[in-house]
Amino acid sequence: MQELVPNETVEMIRADRITLTFVQSPFCGTCHLAKKMLSTLEALYEKDIFQEMNASLHSSLMEHFKIKSVPCLLVTREGKVIEKIYAFHSVPFMRDKISNYVE
């Protein structure tokens, strides 16, 4: 999972391809569990799928995309929100959610 730094984040989210950004806080226990699920999915697909964004460092993007809470999986294309996933029920649930976005 690639961690985004503030000056790269806007460029990555505005990419012309679908981008899956895991929005988290390092102080959030639920975020740590969600990250493990996403890491399991990356191992399953055998490639990096997700970007990681620390919500504390990107308050303007949190506001811009109207992200209500963390963890959140923000799915974007060309800077437009396709979907926001807040409930990370299980690895199979998340696999089904992202299967439309991962090649």
Side-chain angles (χ1 to χ4, degrees), residues 6 9 23-24 53-68:
T9 305
V23 183
Q24 56 81 29
M53 182 176 94
N54 183 335
S56 304
L57 300 177
H58 302 291
S59 58
S60 62
L61 287 175
M62 294 288 290
E63 206 172 295
H64 175 76
F65 289 114
K66 296 179 175 68
I67 297 172
K68 298 176 184 174

Side-chain angles (χ1 to χ4, degrees), residues 4-92:
L4 297 175
V5 292
N7 59 349
E8 295 174 349
T9 305
V10 174
E11 292 172 25
M12 292 296 288
I13 290 176
R14 289 188 178 156
D16 62 352
R17 62 181 171 77
I18 291 179
T19 307
L20 303 169
T21 306
F22 174 56
V23 183
Q24 56 81 29
S25 170
F27 307 108
C28 167
T30 307
C31 296
H32 290 285
L33 294 173
K35 184 175 180 175
K36 286 181 184 181
M37 288 184 201
L38 299 181
S39 295
T40 301
L41 288 171
E42 286 187 330
L44 179 70
Y45 282 96
E46 297 179 341
K47 63 179 180 177
D48 288 338
I49 299 170
F50 308 101
Q51 309 177 103
E52 183 176 10
M53 182 176 94
N54 183 335
S56 304
L57 300 177
H58 302 291
S59 58
S60 62
L61 287 175
M62 294 288 290
E63 206 172 295
H64 175 76
F65 289 114
K66 296 179 175 68
I67 297 172
K68 298 176 184 174
S69 65
V70 292
C72 175
L73 184 61
L74 178 66
V75 182
T76 58
R77 183 177 193 144
E78 296 177 353
K80 294 179 177 61
V81 176
I82 297 171
E83 184 175 6
K84 289 184 255 186
I85 303 167
Y86 292 103
F88 292 64
H89 297 287
S90 65
V91 172

